Each structure stands twice: as C-alpha cells, then as structure tokens.
Amino acid sequence: MVERRKIQKTGSSSFIVTLPKDWIDSIGIKPGDYVLVYEHGSKLIITPSYSEAQQLSSEITVLKPVSVDEIFRVLVSQYLAGYDTITIVFKTNISGLAKKISELKNLARVKLAGVEVVDETYDTLVLKILLNLKELPLMRAIRRLHLIVNNMLADALEAFRTKNTGLAEAVIQRDDEADRFHFMIIRQLSLALLDIRIMHELGISNPVETLNYRILARNLERIADHAVNIAHNVFKRPNECTYCDKMYELGQRALSLLNKSMDSLYKLSRRIAEETILEAKNAVNDLQELLSKQILPSKISDSEKTILSMVYDSLRRIMRYSNGIAEATLNIKVARMRSINVK
C-alpha cells in the first residue's frame, strides 16, 4: 500500500502528517497511544510502540531416505534465514528414524547457537531458536569469532612447524565453535534485514553495512576452515621438513594480516585497511616466489612438495580473505560517511 500524505505545520517548528486509518485499525492503535519513529537514511519508519518482532515458522518435510547431512544443510539454511521455530517431519516409511533424529539433534546443538528441542515424536522434531540479540550484540559476536579464528590459525601454524599432532587435533575440534558463531552472526544479519528495529539494536545504520558484515563474517569462517586444512597436513608432513620453517614465517605474516584487517574494522580506519590491502598483495607475491623459485625446483620428495603446496594454497587464501575483510571495512566506513578524505 502506498499513500500520498500532505505535511502540515503547527506552531513555529513542528510538522504533522496523518496516518492511514486502515493501518491504524489493523494494528489496534488508539488516540493517545505512542508510535516509534526510526530514522533510516533519508526515510522515516513508523512502528507501534508495543509491537513484537515477527515470529517466523518453517517446516521441512523429508519424503524419502536421504542423508542426515542433507537434512541438516536445509535446517542451517532456515536457521540463517531467521526462522524461530523449525519443524522437521519424516514420512513414517523411512527406516532408522530414531537414529536420524538423534544425529540431527546432536548436529544442531553443536553447530547452531540457541537451538532447543521443544517437541519430539517418532517422526517429528520441533526446534525453537532462543537467541537473545541483546546478550551477544553483533560486534561482540564478531570479536569472539575473530578470537577463535586467531587462536586456531596460530595453533595450526605452530603445530605444522613442530609436527605437534595433539595441537593439530585441537584445532580441528575447534572448527565447530567457529561455525557456531559464524552461523549466529549471519542469522543476526538476516533478522536485521527483516526488521528495522533489530538493525538499530545491532548498531547497523543501513542495509549496505549488513551486506559487508556478511562478507566479513564469511571470510573469518573461511580462514578457520583453512586453519583446519593446515592442521590436517600436520599428520602428513615428514619429520624432517626443509621448507616448513619458511612456510611458518609466511604463515605468521598471514596471521598478522588477519589481525590488522580486524583492527581496521574495530577502529573503522581507512588508513589501516589500505595498509592491509597493500601488505596482503606483497605477502601473496612473496609466498608465490617461495613456491615457484624454491620449493618446486628443489630436490625434496614429491610428497613433501604436495604437502607444502597445500599449505601454500591455504596461506594464500587466508591472505586474500584478510584483504577482503579490509575491503569490507572500507565499504562500511563509506556507508556511514558521505564525505571521505583521501590523504
């Protein structure tokens, strides 16, 4: 519904606009009630002062035998889309339902924050998401994900340098925690796009910021994945590794780039973001030179070259993801400020 309303002036500085009667009647506002007025860029958004955020429900119907992973991927999609109640219904002719439902519950509890089972029968599972956005605001959640990813990468590099399989295993186990925070952040951002009040609660000024926070969170999660890839290679590397120390040194540069890119976000600093982008480009070039001019032409075994190439690929991607975080920071800063000084 779009209506054209005329603005009237009352007194010396106040302006009045009438509200559509159909809208007033549909939500039950009476004379003397208050409404909330949100400033959203050049627009104003009016909501009832007592209204609750919309509760969204969805249903997944499993019609034939499929893997638990396939069902869980659909569940994650609905979690990220902002649904509050998710019902999973299985056709009763599917065998092994009790085991499938048990595995789904375990995956949901490990990977998805705030999920509780509120009802369960032989062929039905009802999940309720009980996250409170005020308990873990957006930036606190991002800082927590950053800390997890930083520690995973630092430990993965140390494990690779020293062939510490116990430390490598710990990195692999922590990937679930990184996924958990990543999914929670994406859910918050989805809800922000659905409800202007949530966007304001999260401290986001416009949808452009939301998209860039989405890119930023995804890049952090991908860095965690590559820390896990490095940890997996710990089990394969030989005891005597000619180039592992050099790869570790470049890994430390990748770790430094990650933290510098996040520092640019916390300070919303264009200068630090630009420095990160330049340093990432130089680090990728140095990494490429190590692989092409030293590792590949060397006389080390093909298996060792393969392992180092896989670590090289992960480090290169981590550097580029850090570059992406810095670029997202620039986009967030520009979205908040109409005038930028380049100097």
Side-chain angles (χ1 to χ4, degrees):
M1 177 184 70
V2 177
E3 291 199 21
R4 193 165 179 239
R5 297 276 160 164
K6 189 174 183 179
I7 296 176
Q8 303 176 52
K9 187 174 183 181
T10 178
S12 59
S13 60
S14 295
F15 294 87
I16 296 174
V17 62
T18 60
L19 298 175
K21 184 178 184 302
D22 289 345
W23 181 75
I24 294 291
D25 292 339
S26 67
I27 60 176
I29 292 180
K30 304 182 297 297
D33 288 346
Y34 286 94
V35 294
L36 302 178
V37 180
Y38 293 91
E39 186 175 350
H40 188 57
S42 59
K43 308 175 185 68
L44 293 178
I45 296 177
I46 300 173
T47 68
S49 61
Y50 56 81
S51 65
E52 298 288 336
Q54 185 180 4
Q55 295 290 301
L56 303 174
S57 299
S58 66
E59 183 173 298
I60 303 168
T61 303
V62 183
L63 299 174
K64 63 179 183 178
V66 295
S67 69
V68 171
D69 287 341
E70 186 173 344
I71 302 168
F72 183 68
R73 281 192 289 272
V74 179
L75 171 59
V76 169
S77 297
Q78 297 197 337
Y79 176 91
L80 299 183
Y83 289 103
D84 301 285
T85 303
I86 303 172
T87 302
I88 306 172
V89 180
F90 295 85
K91 289 298 181 181
T92 53
N93 61 348
I94 298 175
S95 61
L97 279 185
K99 183 179 179 182
K100 286 183 181 294
I101 289 177
S102 177
E103 290 176 1
L104 269 175
K105 287 192 297 183
N106 291 336
L107 275 172
R109 285 165 177 158
V110 169
K111 293 277 191 179
L112 305 177
V115 170
E116 293 293 338
V117 176
V118 294
D119 193 15
E120 180 181 351
T121 65
Y122 170 70
D123 60 353
T124 303
L125 182 66
V126 182
L127 303 173
K128 184 79 174 176
I129 291 83
L130 303 174
L131 279 177
N132 186 338
L133 297 179
K134 294 179 180 179
E135 291 181 0
L136 193 65
L138 177 65
M139 284 310 300
R140 278 181 57 193
I142 288 175
R143 284 180 182 272
R144 178 60 180 157
L145 178 58
H146 170 211
L147 179 62
I148 293 167
V149 174
N150 171 79
N151 292 341
M152 287 177 67
L153 181 55
D155 288 347
L157 292 170
E158 181 62 23
F160 185 75
R161 185 180 71 85
T162 60
K163 196 175 169 58
N164 186 332
T165 55
L167 187 57
E169 186 62 39
V171 171
I172 295 168
Q173 293 298 322
R174 269 179 277 166
D175 191 41
D176 284 339
E177 190 178 3
D179 286 342
R180 187 178 174 88
F181 274 89
H182 169 244
F183 289 148
M184 182 177 66
I185 291 167
I186 302 308
R187 177 180 168 83
Q188 287 183 334
L189 296 173
S190 296
L191 291 170
L193 290 173
L194 293 171
D195 194 319
I196 183 66
R197 291 165 296 180
I198 294 176
M199 186 179 292
H200 278 260
E201 285 179 13
L202 294 177
I204 300 173
S205 60
N206 60 65
V208 174
E209 280 188 45
T210 306
L211 297 175
N212 283 287
Y213 279 120
R214 171 68 176 85
I215 294 169
L216 191 148
R218 177 59 173 166
N219 283 7
L220 283 173
E221 189 270 339
R222 293 299 295 139
I223 291 173
D225 287 344
H226 284 287
V228 170
N229 289 345
I230 294 170
H232 278 299
N233 280 290
V234 172
F235 298 92
K236 304 172 186 176
R237 61 148 281 188
N239 292 327
E240 298 297 327
C241 179
T242 307
Y243 292 99
C244 282
D245 283 344
K246 289 188 177 181
M247 197 64 78
Y248 172 80
E249 290 172 6
L250 282 164
Q252 290 298 309
R253 286 176 67 180
L255 180 62
S256 176
L257 282 169
L258 163 63
N259 290 320
K260 190 164 187 175
S261 68
M262 292 304 296
D263 190 43
S264 73
L265 172 70
Y266 301 144
K267 297 177 179 177
L268 208 60
S269 169
R270 191 189 69 82
R271 179 184 59 80
I272 297 176
E274 292 286 1
E275 289 176 359
T276 303
I277 292 169
L278 179 60
E279 290 174 19
K281 180 180 179 180
N282 293 335
V284 169
N285 290 339
D286 291 344
L287 187 63
Q288 175 64 42
E289 190 169 300
L290 173 64
L291 181 72
S292 61
K293 294 186 178 181
Q294 296 186 50
I295 294 175
L296 295 181
S298 70
K299 296 181 179 180
I300 61 175
S301 67
D302 288 342
S303 62
E304 188 174 344
K305 287 180 182 179
T306 300
I307 292 166
L308 290 169
S309 295
M310 288 191 287
V311 174
Y312 154 83
D313 182 64
S314 287
L315 292 180
R316 179 178 64 85
R317 290 175 185 272
I318 289 169
M319 291 170 180
R320 293 199 180 279
Y321 286 131
S322 298
N323 180 99
I325 291 171
E327 289 179 348
T329 297
L330 288 175
N331 295 340
I332 291 169
K333 185 177 181 68
V334 169
R336 291 185 181 183
M337 303 177 66
R338 296 188 178 184
S339 178
I340 299 289
N341 295 323
V342 180
K343 56 182 180 180

